[in-house]
Amino acid sequence: MDLTDHPGALPLGRRLAEPLDPQALVAQLGSEVAATLSSALERVTTLAATGKIDRAGLRLLREEIDRARRAGIMGQQVVRLGNGRVQLANERLDLTGLLSEALRQRGREIDARGIEIRQVLNAAEVMSDSTLLFSLLQTTLDWSFEHAVSRIDLTVAIKSWPAHACFTVAFAHQPADEVDVPQGRAAPEHEARLDTMAWRLLQQTAGVLGLVLARGDVPGKTELKLEFPQTLAPRLAGLPSVDRSERESQAHNSQPLAGRHIMVLAARREVRNVVRAALRPMGLMIDFVNSVDEAYQLVTDGMPHAVVYEAALAGDHFERLRTEMLAEVPSLVFVRIAEQGRAFEVLNLGGRQFASVGRDAIMAALPEALSFELSRAEEAAGASANPGSKP
């Protein structure tokens, strides 16, 4: 479906990134967090009164708390982008490969939530900032997962003129039997319901990247289009790829990993506290687990982008978990916290390289190690992706 051409849809370009209204942003963030935590509080009150909570209720409680946390982090990212704190590194990127990797990262979450995704992914290469573009794709998935009540259609294609790559996301946000008016433009309250913090972050990120963003809303359905003006012609076979060192810009990004999900496996509270303090400025989403069994439970709902773990917990049980996780997401990052050793070193284990940080150097070296490993993982994923295939 092409809702942006529908007579009731919003016109192309209407949804370009808008100037930040700090008061409106704070009000929206407070409203979203309060609504989510109010529901969570009701569950906690019921638990306190009855002393019981079933597995489904516990899962919903965790999801509500996680949504509130995500909204807070997204709000921080919107402010950072709106304040112009991000400078971009422009490089040749495989758009289709990055989207495939983003979907692969969310594979367990997609299965756990029963989300159906149809993909029509054609080859497309663009000039953009790799970290911010990957974050944009993840945010687009976040926004879609929040609202879709049926299948999500993802398309990557090249427009005939101008020859720009287009990433399209379409889904129904209301069940068909609840749609009152089948034609025309969606009611304002339904449009507003779609304008969550994930949407605000999507808008701001697209604006910083210089993309054309359009959204068409009709009763019960919505379609988002992202157009990439800096689309590259297909590469001829045999020509060398552009090396990442040949970026047009090597500008500094104050929070290049903002929004990434990190799992920290640490049994000792003092280690968890130091890790939390070291990673706090990076804008990451961090889950702490005390044991390998807790780590198994956490990854059932969704895979993180990286695992930081105490070396003391790296026994056979952990290695089985690592093997299973890497089988599902080969680009997954692991960073070990060693009791002793050099501040930051790269080790070779079973033919794979892993970063290791000495416990006394966590504050200084862990952010650098994570940045290095995640950047290397993105490079490897981009190099190995087959643009014409579907994940």
Coordinates of all heavy atoms in Angstrom, one line a residue, residues 191-243:
E191 N -3.7 10.1 14.9 CA -2.4 10.6 14.5 C -1.5 10.9 15.7 O -0.3 10.6 15.7 CB -2.5 11.9 13.6 CG -3.0 11.6 12.2 CD -3.1 12.9 11.4 OE1 -2.5 13.9 11.8 OE2 -3.7 13.0 10.4
A192 N -2.1 11.6 16.7 CA -1.3 12.0 17.9 C -0.9 10.7 18.6 O 0.2 10.7 19.2 CB -2.2 12.8 18.8
R193 N -1.7 9.7 18.6 CA -1.3 8.4 19.3 C 0.0 7.8 18.7 O 0.8 7.1 19.3 CB -2.4 7.4 19.2 CG -2.2 6.2 20.2 CD -3.5 5.3 20.2 NE -3.7 4.8 18.8 CZ -4.8 4.1 18.6 NH1 -5.7 3.9 19.5 NH2 -5.0 3.6 17.3
L194 N 0.2 8.1 17.4 CA 1.4 7.6 16.7 C 2.6 8.4 17.0 O 3.7 8.0 16.7 CB 1.1 7.5 15.2 CG 0.1 6.5 14.7 CD1 -0.3 6.7 13.3 CD2 0.6 5.1 14.9
D195 N 2.4 9.7 17.4 CA 3.5 10.6 17.6 C 4.2 10.4 19.0 O 4.3 11.3 19.8 CB 3.0 12.0 17.5 CG 2.6 12.4 16.1 OD1 3.0 11.6 15.2 OD2 1.9 13.4 15.9
T196 N 4.7 9.2 19.3 CA 5.3 8.9 20.5 C 6.7 9.4 20.5 O 7.2 10.0 19.6 CB 5.3 7.4 20.8 OG1 5.9 6.7 19.6 CG2 3.9 6.8 20.9
M197 N 7.4 9.1 21.7 CA 8.8 9.6 21.8 C 9.7 8.9 20.7 O 10.6 9.5 20.2 CB 9.3 9.3 23.2 CG 10.6 10.0 23.5 SD 10.5 11.8 23.4 CE 9.2 12.2 24.5
A198 N 9.3 7.6 20.4 CA 10.1 7.0 19.3 C 9.9 7.7 18.0 O 10.9 7.8 17.2 CB 9.6 5.5 19.1
W199 N 8.7 8.2 17.7 CA 8.5 9.0 16.5 C 9.3 10.3 16.5 O 9.9 10.7 15.5 CB 7.0 9.3 16.3 CG 6.8 10.3 15.2 CD1 6.4 11.6 15.2 CD2 7.0 10.0 13.8 NE1 6.3 12.1 14.0 CE2 6.7 11.2 13.1 CE3 7.4 8.9 13.1 CZ2 6.7 11.2 11.7 CZ3 7.4 8.9 11.7 CH2 7.1 10.1 11.0
R200 N 9.4 11.0 17.7 CA 10.1 12.2 17.8 C 11.6 11.9 17.5 O 12.3 12.7 16.9 CB 10.0 12.8 19.2 CG 8.6 13.2 19.6 CD 8.0 14.2 18.6 NE 6.6 14.5 19.0 CZ 5.7 15.0 18.2 NH1 6.0 15.3 16.9 NH2 4.5 15.3 18.6
L201 N 12.1 10.8 18.1 CA 13.5 10.5 17.8 C 13.7 10.2 16.4 O 14.8 10.5 15.8 CB 13.9 9.3 18.7 CG 15.4 8.8 18.6 CD1 16.4 9.9 18.8 CD2 15.6 7.6 19.5
L202 N 12.8 9.5 15.8 CA 12.9 9.1 14.3 C 13.0 10.4 13.5 O 13.8 10.5 12.6 CB 11.7 8.3 13.9 CG 11.7 7.5 12.6 CD1 10.6 6.4 12.7 CD2 11.5 8.3 11.4
Q203 N 12.1 11.4 13.8 CA 12.1 12.6 13.1 C 13.4 13.4 13.2 O 14.0 13.8 12.2 CB 11.0 13.5 13.6 CG 9.6 13.3 13.2 CD 8.6 14.3 13.7 OE1 8.6 14.5 14.9 NE2 8.0 15.1 12.9
Q204 N 13.9 13.5 14.4 CA 15.1 14.2 14.6 C 16.3 13.5 14.0 O 17.2 14.2 13.4 CB 15.4 14.4 16.1 CG 14.5 15.4 16.8 CD 14.6 16.8 16.3 OE1 15.7 17.3 16.0 NE2 13.5 17.5 16.2
T205 N 16.4 12.2 14.1 CA 17.5 11.5 13.5 C 17.5 11.7 11.9 O 18.6 11.9 11.3 CB 17.5 10.0 13.8 OG1 17.4 9.9 15.3 CG2 18.7 9.3 13.4
A206 N 16.3 11.5 11.3 CA 16.2 11.7 9.9 C 16.6 13.1 9.5 O 17.3 13.3 8.5 CB 14.8 11.4 9.4
G207 N 16.2 14.1 10.3 CA 16.6 15.5 10.0 C 18.1 15.7 10.0 O 18.7 16.3 9.2
V208 N 18.8 15.2 11.1 CA 20.2 15.3 11.2 C 20.9 14.7 10.0 O 21.9 15.2 9.5 CB 20.7 14.7 12.5 CG1 22.2 14.7 12.6 CG2 20.2 15.6 13.7
L209 N 20.4 13.5 9.6 CA 21.0 12.8 8.4 C 20.7 13.4 7.1 O 21.2 12.9 6.1 CB 20.6 11.3 8.5 CG 21.2 10.5 9.6 CD1 20.6 9.1 9.6 CD2 22.7 10.4 9.5
G210 N 19.8 14.4 7.0 CA 19.5 15.0 5.8 C 18.6 14.2 4.9 O 18.6 14.3 3.7
L211 N 17.7 13.4 5.5 CA 16.8 12.5 4.7 C 15.5 13.2 4.6 O 15.1 14.0 5.4 CB 16.6 11.2 5.4 CG 17.9 10.4 5.8 CD1 17.6 9.1 6.5 CD2 18.8 10.2 4.6
V212 N 14.8 12.8 3.5 CA 13.4 13.2 3.3 C 12.5 12.2 4.0 O 12.5 11.1 3.7 CB 13.1 13.3 1.8 CG1 11.6 13.8 1.6 CG2 14.0 14.3 1.1
L213 N 11.6 12.7 4.9 CA 10.8 11.9 5.7 C 9.3 12.3 5.5 O 9.0 13.4 5.5 CB 11.1 12.1 7.2 CG 10.2 11.5 8.2 CD1 10.2 10.0 8.1 CD2 10.7 11.9 9.6
A214 N 8.5 11.3 5.1 CA 7.1 11.5 4.9 C 6.3 10.4 5.6 O 6.7 9.3 5.6 CB 6.8 11.6 3.4
R215 N 5.1 10.8 6.1 CA 4.3 9.8 6.7 C 2.9 10.0 6.3 O 2.3 11.1 6.3 CB 4.3 9.9 8.3 CG 3.7 8.7 9.0 CD 3.8 8.8 10.5 NE 2.6 9.3 11.1 CZ 2.5 9.8 12.3 NH1 3.6 10.0 13.0 NH2 1.4 10.3 12.8
G216 N 2.2 9.0 5.8 CA 0.8 9.0 5.4 C 0.0 8.3 6.4 O 0.2 7.1 6.7
D217 N -1.0 9.0 7.0 CA -1.9 8.3 8.0 C -3.3 8.4 7.4 O -3.9 9.4 7.0 CB -1.9 9.1 9.3 CG -0.6 9.1 10.0 OD1 0.1 8.1 9.8 OD2 -0.2 10.0 10.7
V218 N -4.0 7.2 7.3 CA -5.4 7.1 6.9 C -6.0 6.2 8.0 O -5.3 5.6 8.8 CB -5.5 6.5 5.5 CG1 -4.9 7.3 4.4 CG2 -5.0 5.1 5.4
P219 N -7.3 6.2 8.1 CA -8.0 5.4 9.1 C -7.4 4.0 9.3 O -7.6 3.2 8.3 CB -9.4 5.5 8.7 CG -9.6 6.8 8.0 CD -8.3 6.9 7.2
G220 N -6.8 3.7 10.4 CA -6.4 2.4 10.7 C -5.0 2.0 10.2 O -4.5 1.0 10.6
K221 N -4.4 2.8 9.3 CA -3.2 2.4 8.6 C -2.2 3.6 8.6 O -2.7 4.7 8.5 CB -3.4 1.8 7.2 CG -4.3 0.6 7.2 CD -4.5 0.1 5.8 CE -5.3 -1.2 5.7 NZ -5.6 -1.6 4.3
T222 N -1.0 3.3 8.5 CA 0.0 4.3 8.4 C 1.2 3.8 7.5 O 1.5 2.6 7.5 CB 0.6 4.8 9.7 OG1 1.3 6.0 9.6 CG2 1.5 3.8 10.4
E223 N 1.8 4.7 6.8 CA 3.0 4.4 6.0 C 4.1 5.4 6.1 O 3.8 6.6 6.0 CB 2.6 4.2 4.5 CG 3.8 3.8 3.6 CD 3.4 3.6 2.2 OE1 3.4 4.6 1.4 OE2 3.0 2.5 1.8
L224 N 5.3 5.0 6.4 CA 6.4 5.9 6.5 C 7.4 5.7 5.3 O 7.7 4.6 5.0 CB 7.1 5.6 7.8 CG 8.6 6.2 8.0 CD1 8.5 7.7 8.2 CD2 9.3 5.5 9.2
K225 N 7.9 6.8 4.8 CA 8.9 6.8 3.7 C 10.1 7.6 4.1 O 10.0 8.7 4.5 CB 8.3 7.3 2.4 CG 7.4 6.3 1.7 CD 7.0 6.8 0.3 CE 6.2 5.9 -0.5 NZ 5.9 6.4 -1.8
L226 N 11.2 7.0 4.0 CA 12.5 7.6 4.2 C 13.3 7.6 2.9 O 13.5 6.5 2.3 CB 13.4 6.9 5.3 CG 13.0 7.2 6.7 CD1 13.6 6.2 7.6 CD2 13.4 8.6 7.1
E227 N 13.6 8.8 2.3 CA 14.3 8.9 1.1 C 15.7 9.4 1.3 O 15.9 10.3 2.0 CB 13.5 9.9 0.1 CG 14.1 10.0 -1.3 CD 13.2 10.8 -2.2 OE1 12.0 10.9 -2.0 OE2 13.8 11.5 -3.1
F228 N 16.6 8.7 0.6 CA 18.1 9.0 0.8 C 18.6 9.8 -0.4 O 18.9 9.2 -1.5 CB 18.8 7.7 1.0 CG 18.5 7.0 2.2 CD1 17.3 6.3 2.4 CD2 19.4 7.0 3.3 CE1 17.0 5.6 3.5 CE2 19.1 6.4 4.5 CZ 17.9 5.7 4.6
P229 N 18.7 11.1 -0.3 CA 19.2 11.9 -1.5 C 20.6 11.5 -1.9 O 21.0 11.5 -3.1 CB 19.2 13.3 -1.0 CG 18.2 13.3 0.1 CD 18.3 12.0 0.8
Q230 N 21.5 11.0 -1.0 CA 22.8 10.6 -1.3 C 22.9 9.1 -1.6 O 23.5 8.3 -0.9 CB 23.8 11.0 -0.2 CG 24.0 12.5 0.0 CD 25.1 12.8 0.9 OE1 26.3 12.6 0.6 NE2 24.8 13.3 2.1
T231 N 22.2 8.7 -2.6 CA 22.2 7.3 -3.1 C 23.3 7.1 -4.1 O 23.5 7.9 -5.0 CB 20.8 6.9 -3.6 OG1 19.8 7.1 -2.6 CG2 20.8 5.4 -4.1
L232 N 24.0 6.0 -4.0 CA 25.1 5.7 -4.9 C 24.7 4.7 -6.0 O 23.9 3.8 -5.8 CB 26.3 5.1 -4.1 CG 26.8 6.0 -3.0 CD1 27.9 5.3 -2.1 CD2 27.4 7.3 -3.5
A233 N 25.4 4.9 -7.1 CA 25.1 3.9 -8.2 C 25.7 2.6 -7.8 O 26.6 2.5 -7.0 CB 25.8 4.4 -9.5
P234 N 25.1 1.5 -8.3 CA 25.5 0.1 -8.0 C 27.0 0.0 -8.3 O 27.5 0.5 -9.4 CB 24.7 -0.8 -8.8 CG 23.4 0.0 -9.1 CD 23.9 1.4 -9.2
R235 N 27.8 -0.7 -7.5 CA 29.2 -0.9 -7.7 C 29.4 -2.0 -8.8 O 28.7 -3.0 -8.8 CB 29.9 -1.4 -6.4 CG 30.7 -0.3 -5.8 CD 31.6 -0.9 -4.7 NE 30.9 -1.4 -3.6 CZ 31.0 -0.9 -2.4 NH1 31.8 0.1 -2.1 NH2 30.3 -1.4 -1.4
L236 N 30.4 -1.7 -9.6 CA 30.7 -2.7 -10.6 C 31.5 -3.9 -10.0 O 32.3 -3.6 -9.1 CB 31.5 -2.1 -11.7 CG 30.8 -1.0 -12.5 CD1 31.8 -0.4 -13.6 CD2 29.6 -1.6 -13.2
A237 N 31.3 -5.1 -10.4 CA 32.0 -6.2 -9.8 C 33.5 -6.1 -10.0 O 33.9 -5.7 -11.1 CB 31.5 -7.5 -10.5
G238 N 34.2 -6.4 -9.0 CA 35.7 -6.3 -9.1 C 36.3 -5.0 -8.6 O 37.5 -5.0 -8.4
L239 N 35.5 -4.0 -8.5 CA 36.0 -2.7 -8.0 C 36.1 -2.8 -6.5 O 35.3 -3.3 -5.8 CB 35.1 -1.6 -8.4 CG 35.1 -1.2 -9.9 CD1 34.2 0.0 -10.1 CD2 36.5 -0.9 -10.4
P240 N 37.2 -2.2 -6.0 CA 37.4 -2.3 -4.5 C 36.4 -1.4 -3.8 O 36.0 -0.4 -4.3 CB 38.8 -1.7 -4.3 CG 39.1 -0.9 -5.5 CD 38.3 -1.6 -6.6
S241 N 36.0 -1.8 -2.6 CA 35.1 -1.0 -1.8 C 35.8 0.2 -1.2 O 37.0 0.2 -1.0 CB 34.4 -1.8 -0.7 OG 35.4 -2.3 0.1
V242 N 35.0 1.2 -0.8 CA 35.6 2.3 -0.1 C 36.0 2.0 1.3 O 35.2 1.5 2.0 CB 34.6 3.5 -0.2 CG1 35.2 4.7 0.6 CG2 34.3 3.9 -1.6
D243 N 37.2 2.2 1.7 CA 37.7 1.9 3.0 C 37.1 2.9 4.0 O 36.9 4.1 3.7 CB 39.2 2.0 3.1 CG 39.7 1.4 4.4 OD1 39.9 0.2 4.5 OD2 39.9 2.2 5.3

